[in-house]
Amino acid sequence: MAERTAGRTAAWVLVRHELRLLASLALWAARRTHGVDGGRAFGYARGQGAVMFGFAFVCCVETLTMSVLLRDHPTVHHVVFVLDVYTIVFVVGVHAASVVRPHVLGPGLLRVRHGVHVDLRIPVEHIATVRRELRTTHERADGELDVPVGAQTTVTLELTHPITHFTPLGRQRHVRVVRFHADAPAPLISAITQARTAPSPLPDRPAPA
């Protein structure tokens, strides 16, 4: 029973992932973003754009090549063609998801995102330090979460206490250090610093008796 439940959960995660990629393509075509809701958006997809489109181009070439090689085998050709087209849509969808789902700094909350895979919500008051730090190698460590783009991260957050990160399959990790990439790290770091140091609103004065 447990294995069957786990299988259904994994299948649902995959279906949800594909639906979100398709939705991201629609948002990208409409030049809209997801989840900004009045906050300030900070992109991170610029560093991977050339690589993703290069990969998509290679997939297109492969599709044309296989169409020629399999022209005398229509059944196999149709199956391979569908798989190749799906691969191209998947690659473009991954990039589109990164474009339309930027990092977002809103009132009291920072959302660190990476496409449809990562959406970590960090209360600004829980950020102890924020700094610019370029890293091109990352080793998995307890209590640390790396969200690289193009194999690099440019911003490091240290938190006052651990927060919970959920993997795409629902597993929990408690992290206290978060490293991620931003196309323009300096404005993001400045905005986070200002949000951390902004004075709390004064309480309302009691009405006169």
Side-chain angles (χ1 to χ4, degrees), residues 21-45:
L21 287 182
L22 294 176
S24 297
L25 284 170
L27 289 173
W28 191 37
R31 296 188 176 183
R32 298 173 58 188
T33 55
H34 173 276
V36 176
D37 299 328
R40 187 175 174 185
F42 296 89
Y44 54 85

Side-chain angles (χ1 to χ4, degrees), residues 147-197:
V147 190
V149 174
Q152 71 176 15
T153 56
T154 54
V155 179
T156 298
L157 302 177
E158 294 184 6
L159 310 181
T160 56
H161 60 274
I163 62 173
T164 302
H165 164 63
F166 291 93
T167 68
L169 292 178
R171 296 179 180 178
Q172 295 185 21
R173 288 189 61 201
H174 300 290
V175 298
R176 194 163 184 167
V177 175
V178 181
R179 301 184 186 91
F180 61 98
H181 177 73
D183 291 334
L188 174 56
I189 292 171
S190 177
I192 295 173
T193 301
Q194 292 178 8
R196 288 177 57 240
T197 57

Side-chain angles (χ1 to χ4, degrees), residues 51-63:
V51 174
M52 298 301 290
F53 282 110
F55 188 33
F57 176 76
V58 171
C59 291
C60 290
V61 172
E62 180 188 9
T63 300

